[in-house]
Amino acid sequence: MVTAAQPLAHPLSVRDLGPNWYATVMGTAVVATAGSALPPHVPGLRGVLAGVWALSLVLLLSLLAGRTVHWARHRDRALAHLLDPATAPFYGCLAMALLAVGGGALTVGRDWIGLRAAVALDAVLFISGTAVGLAAAVAVPYLMAVRHRVEPGQATPVWLLPLVAPMVSAAVGPGLVPHLPPGQARETLLLGCFALFGLSLLATLVMLPSVFARSLTGGPLPLALTPTLFLVLGPLGQSTTAVGAFADVAPGVVPEPYGAGFGALAVLYGVPVMGFALLWFCLAAAHVLRARRQGMRFSMTWWSFTFPVGTCVTGAAALTRHTGLVAYAGPAVLLYALLVAAWGTAVVGTVRGLLRGELLAAPAAAPVAPRPVTARTTSGAVR
């Protein structure tokens, strides 16, 4: 947030272009992929979704270029981002942006670029996104332990970001399975995605209690961070999407009874997890409404309303496929309507903030308790 002591940034400045900006790519790509997963098929919708996916690809390429310039010309700021506990977790967004655009290429982008190009693009982005995601899942918790000096009272849902990235790989990877040679290649990729599912799920289960305990005992989050409560929906919806994707491709890829076992897992895991997602959605929405009444203004954290909700759409759509119940199709459509509204609001707010020069600053969490005026951040800036 810009204060009176900080000059407004030039709209094209990359000095403070942080990794949190990849959330714009994730939020845009999921509008396309979630729309293609909806149970009702609306005539003409795929053309619109393909256009939204193309926009996400343009955003991804633009941000990759901007971040390359940022590292080349402002290495001090880039390193400060890594050493800042409020910013480092957003490196998980880079991995998820790559994966989201890659998955979208295979679901709707192929209508524009062709199946062969879509498979190639998805393969490149899946490999690179998975590598970045695994690196972030290790490096960010390591930095939090040895350099960031965080305290339990500072826990926020942002801490989940680097741990969720492998789950996005798990959900996207099965789409490439049918395009590999039958036999070892297909089974290896499917079980590799299942391993990524377990990695992310267990890491999230370790981290989530800290976030939940903080929300109950530490008081409400600062207004600007309140939208990040929706980030908890990410691993819930994405894991349900992943098990549904495993069940879609497992028959004939892994021997029985494992193929049928993935089908059972899609329902036995997905139903209770989506139930908890509904509980968390209501809890997070209540906090957001409270924050809005108290004057919460637009910030980049509003993109938290997009990708996590999109994963719940794909998760509900997966349960619709594997249960045949209309009870899941209705919520999928309703959540998608909320997703589109949230995405439109975030786009308008982001464009307005860029034109005003108010948004190009590194994200920073407000302190949980007042700090001495001489305290310093890990990057050396005086608060």
Side-chain angles (χ1 to χ4, degrees):
M1 182 180 296
V2 177
T3 66
Q6 295 172 316
L8 296 180
H10 188 278
L12 298 180
S13 171
V14 298
R15 175 171 172 75
D16 287 313
L17 183 66
N20 60 315
W21 278 83
Y22 286 111
T24 63
V25 179
M26 298 160 53
T28 301
V30 81
V31 171
T33 54
S36 68
L38 289 177
H41 298 285
V42 180
L45 179 61
R46 282 191 64 89
V48 176
L49 298 178
V52 175
W53 171 81
L55 174 61
S56 73
L57 177 60
V58 171
L59 287 173
L60 175 63
L61 295 176
S62 301
L63 281 171
L64 288 174
R67 289 285 294 165
T68 300
V69 174
H70 179 265
W71 271 94
R73 297 184 179 179
H74 307 289
R75 187 173 296 270
D76 60 326
R77 298 297 302 151
L79 293 175
H81 287 167
L82 276 174
L83 298 178
D84 187 345
T87 309
F90 285 97
Y91 272 88
C93 291
L94 166 57
M96 291 187 280
L98 294 169
L99 293 163
V101 174
L106 206 53
T107 53
V108 294
R110 64 182 182 179
D111 294 351
W112 279 22
I113 64 177
L115 180 60
R116 179 174 297 182
V119 171
L121 178 59
D122 188 17
V124 170
L125 294 180
F126 173 76
I127 293 171
S128 57
T130 300
V132 173
L134 289 173
V138 174
V140 174
Y142 175 80
L143 288 173
M144 292 174 68
V146 303
R147 296 295 300 271
H148 292 169
R149 297 294 187 268
V150 294
E151 300 176 358
Q154 296 174 306
T156 72
V158 172
W159 288 10
L160 295 170
L161 289 174
L163 305 179
V164 178
M167 188 64 79
V168 182
S169 294
V172 170
L176 289 168
V177 169
H179 301 283
L180 293 176
Q184 289 276 332
R186 291 185 178 182
E187 186 173 357
T188 298
L189 178 56
L190 177 57
L191 294 184
C193 290
F194 194 32
L196 291 168
F197 166 85
L199 180 159
S200 180
L201 176 63
L202 294 177
T204 299
L205 291 177
V206 170
M207 185 70 76
L208 190 55
S210 298
V211 176
F212 196 25
R214 161 63 179 82
S215 69
L216 294 179
T217 62
L221 290 173
L223 296 184
L225 285 178
T226 302
T228 64
L229 287 170
F230 274 78
L231 294 178
V232 176
L233 296 176
L236 303 176
Q238 198 66 270
S239 60
T240 304
T241 303
V243 294
F246 299 156
D248 291 338
V249 301
V253 173
V254 294
E256 295 300 338
Y258 305 115
F262 276 113
L265 178 66
V267 177
L268 296 179
Y269 174 88
V271 171
V273 169
M274 289 302 289
F276 180 68
L278 176 61
L279 168 67
W280 193 273
F281 182 94
C282 295
L283 178 64
H287 276 271
V288 168
L289 290 175
R290 172 189 173 277
R292 188 63 174 162
R293 288 196 302 268
Q294 293 190 355
M296 180 184 72
R297 301 180 62 186
F298 177 81
S299 67
M300 288 298 290
T301 58
W302 282 40
W303 283 95
S304 303
F305 299 137
T306 57
F307 190 78
V309 174
T311 66
C312 291
V313 174
T314 54
L319 286 176
T320 303
R321 293 196 308 272
H322 293 286
T323 65
L325 295 177
V326 179
Y328 289 107
V333 174
L334 177 60
L335 286 171
Y336 187 72
L338 294 175
L339 167 63
V340 172
W343 177 73
T345 302
V347 168
V348 171
T350 301
V351 172
R352 182 184 295 121
L354 280 174
L355 294 177
R356 294 176 178 175
E358 298 173 348
L359 290 182
L360 279 175
V368 176
R371 296 180 178 180
V373 295
T374 56
R376 293 181 177 270
T377 64
T378 54
S379 57
V382 177
R383 290 187 181 273

